Amino acid sequence: MADGDKRPSRMDRESFVACFGGVFEHSPFIAERAFDKGLGPDADSAEGLHAILCEVFRAAGDEERLAVLRAHPDLAGKLAAARRLTAASSAEQAGAGLDALTDAERARFTDLNETYKERFGFPFILAVKGRTKAEILANFEERVANDRASEFDTACAQVERIAGLRLADLLSQSPYSLSFRSPS
């Protein structure tokens, strides 16, 4: 990186992956592949960088995308209770109130998590930022009835939304001068 230039297109691979490798949960290969494809000026806007990272995610095979889905923790699950989530996941779940569940709510989330994973083979994924516990639970209860193909597509779309929200948070708290509108 030349003289403190913080633009992604000017970063070296190590710096780029260190900065953006966690945007997709435990899946730095997405940032690595994005860098390896070559980052032009589009990568210097937050929207452009998000689009590039999502393009790499979409181009990954089904097994790799399934591994990305499986890298996500259960909502209000055992890792959260043991405080073993990534900082981003912990903040997202706490922001939605999932760190302050009643015993009945925790039992319902546990049951839904188990049913969902048994049915689909990956955890329930929802961008929880800005949502209430009731909204999350209603979404969970609705989606557990979906077919696997639809739910795989929905989960992948939610992973991309989460990545966009994380990228927005990362850029708002960093020396990067990129602007970003949260994905809808």
Side-chain angles (χ1 to χ4, degrees):
M1 203 164 25
D3 298 325
D5 193 340
K6 303 291 186 192
R7 291 179 286 181
S9 68
R10 304 261 175 119
M11 294 175 132
D12 60 49
R13 188 177 198 270
E14 183 179 340
S15 298
F16 181 82
V17 173
C19 186
F20 301 110
V23 171
F24 282 79
E25 188 90 11
H26 296 297
S27 302
F29 80 88
I30 294 171
E32 291 166 350
R33 289 180 187 171
F35 185 89
D36 293 345
K37 284 178 62 172
L39 299 173
D42 287 351
D44 293 336
S45 75
E47 291 88 357
L49 182 55
H50 182 249
I52 291 164
L53 293 171
C54 288
E55 180 182 311
V56 169
F57 174 65
R58 290 179 200 137
D62 285 349
E63 286 302 313
E64 284 182 309
R65 287 187 298 144
L66 180 59
V68 173
L69 299 182
R70 288 179 174 161
H72 281 260
D74 291 346
L75 290 180
K78 294 175 187 170
L79 289 178
R83 301 193 189 287
R84 294 183 53 217
L85 298 176
T86 64
S89 288
S90 182
E92 291 157 1
Q93 290 197 30
L98 298 182
D99 62 338
L101 297 175
T102 66
D103 289 342
E105 289 169 331
R106 187 172 324 290
R108 184 66 183 137
F109 271 98
T110 298
D111 289 346
L112 284 167
N113 278 321
E114 290 173 10
T115 300
Y116 187 96
K117 283 193 302 192
E118 184 177 303
R119 180 174 170 95
F120 300 115
F122 52 87
F124 175 76
I125 300 169
L126 179 69
V128 299
K129 188 172 186 171
R131 297 181 190 257
T132 66
K133 289 187 285 188
E135 290 171 325
I136 295 164
L137 195 56
N139 195 295
F140 208 153
E141 289 172 338
E142 179 182 315
R143 284 178 47 196
V144 77
N146 286 345
D147 64 89
R148 189 177 189 286
S150 296
E151 197 52 30
F152 183 83
D153 291 343
T154 299
C156 286
Q158 287 298 309
V159 164
E160 290 182 16
R161 179 166 166 68
I162 292 165
L165 293 167
R166 287 180 178 178
L167 185 58
D169 285 345
L170 176 67
L171 295 173
S172 72
Q173 301 168 10
S174 75
Y176 303 94
S177 59
L178 306 179
S179 63
F180 191 76
R181 292 184 307 274
S182 293
S184 54

